[in-house]
Amino acid sequence: MFLRSSYLTILLNASAFAQQIGTCPVFPADSIWNTRVDQLSVHPSSASWVTTIGPAAVLHPDFGAGLWNGGPIGIPFITVPGTQTKYPATFLYQSESDPGPYAVPLNAPIEGGSASTGDRHAIAVDTTNCILYELYRAFPQTASWRGDSGAIFNLNSHALRPLSWTSADAAGLPIFPGLVRYDEILAGEIKHALRFTVPQTQRAYLWPGRHYASSQTGTQYPPMGARFRLKADFDISAFSPTNQIILTALKRYGMMLADNGSAWFLSGAPDSRWNDTDLRALRNIQGANFEAVDTAPLMIDVNSGQARQTSVFVTVNPPAASVQVKQQRQFSATVTGSSNQAVTWDVNGVVG
């Protein structure tokens, strides 16, 4: 920072959130989704789980631009206003689904396209009321939705699904907060955990996971909700700026195991601005470059997504500025990790 005047104002923005959509937080700042895990201990089962998933299998960005098999590449979502029409929904797993109605337009984008035979996730975010709607195996009807399961989340809340309930995802977790979104690339930082899949999981789940989807009882299989991170010593300097943003998030926030699928498949939202050739460079990263972390110390309540904050991180925006004589420049500082943490700052070595 280059300072040519003592008239400098720095304001702490206590209402800033780690992740936002519109004016809504994507869960509170101290949600487990928005909590860094780069200082946590390695999980005792890490080596075993990585071996089972595949140490030589490569990271696969399961999102991009254009079409694949006629559908968008990734899990799409749509934002809607509070006036969006809500539609009734019926589900195969009705007893573990929120009854609705769902503010998901009947023409909402479907994962894999309208003719998809896959997971067919449909996601809508009400950015007026900060409500997230998610459907699995979603089929629009004349004036309703039919699907296998559905879940509704209050983005201002720490509430988890009822214990043992599924959601629109096998782990009983929300999908949207774990997606890589291109608007985050434009912002220069991803400040939340990501979502990924593996071929075989354990008949168990770890907080904040709420549901399993397996008959495997061997402890060599990772349970739903397990959190992995890219190892700190993995050199990302040769990757593109876009990929470095993704890889930095994988080091800091890691990724949560959310579903059965292909090994190390990383979820994101389709966007015409992705460079698919550039994203393919992420496949140079192998499973052996990841490790599972022990998130148990972060848990405050098994039925809450609130995470104990053990570290404090401060982000100042803009990170540097030249201020003219007798002029002011306002800075915002986002403090995550403690709501009552005092911050000492200085300008060119002069403590403020």
Side-chain angles (χ1 to χ4, degrees), residues 104-119:
V104 182
L106 297 178
N107 63 349
I110 301 289
E111 180 187 11
S114 59
S116 171
T117 58
D119 285 351

Side-chain angles (χ1 to χ4, degrees), residues 47-63:
S48 177
W49 292 347
V50 169
T51 298
T52 298
I53 300 169
V58 299
L59 182 67
H60 182 103
D62 198 19
F63 55 93

Side-chain angles (χ1 to χ4, degrees), residues 214-299:
S214 173
S215 60
Q216 303 283 0
T217 58
T219 57
Q220 72 271 32
Y221 299 100
M224 291 292 184
R227 188 101 158 225
F228 289 72
R229 69 185 171 210
L230 185 62
K231 292 180 178 179
D233 61 359
F234 183 84
D235 185 5
I236 66 173
S237 62
F239 289 86
S240 70
T242 290
N243 287 336
Q244 285 190 41
I245 292 172
I246 297 171
L247 296 177
T248 297
L250 287 173
K251 286 189 174 190
R252 292 178 177 175
Y253 295 91
M255 54 187 181
M256 286 194 208
L257 177 51
D259 200 359
N260 298 308
S262 298
W264 308 113
F265 266 47
L266 189 66
S267 300
D271 196 297
S272 61
R273 295 169 291 182
W274 289 119
N275 182 325
D276 293 339
T277 300
D278 182 43
L279 288 175
R280 276 195 286 271
L282 294 174
R283 300 185 189 184
N284 292 319
I285 302 171
Q286 295 185 322
N289 299 127
F290 290 92
E291 60 192 5
V293 297
D294 184 5
T295 58
L298 301 180
M299 187 176 69

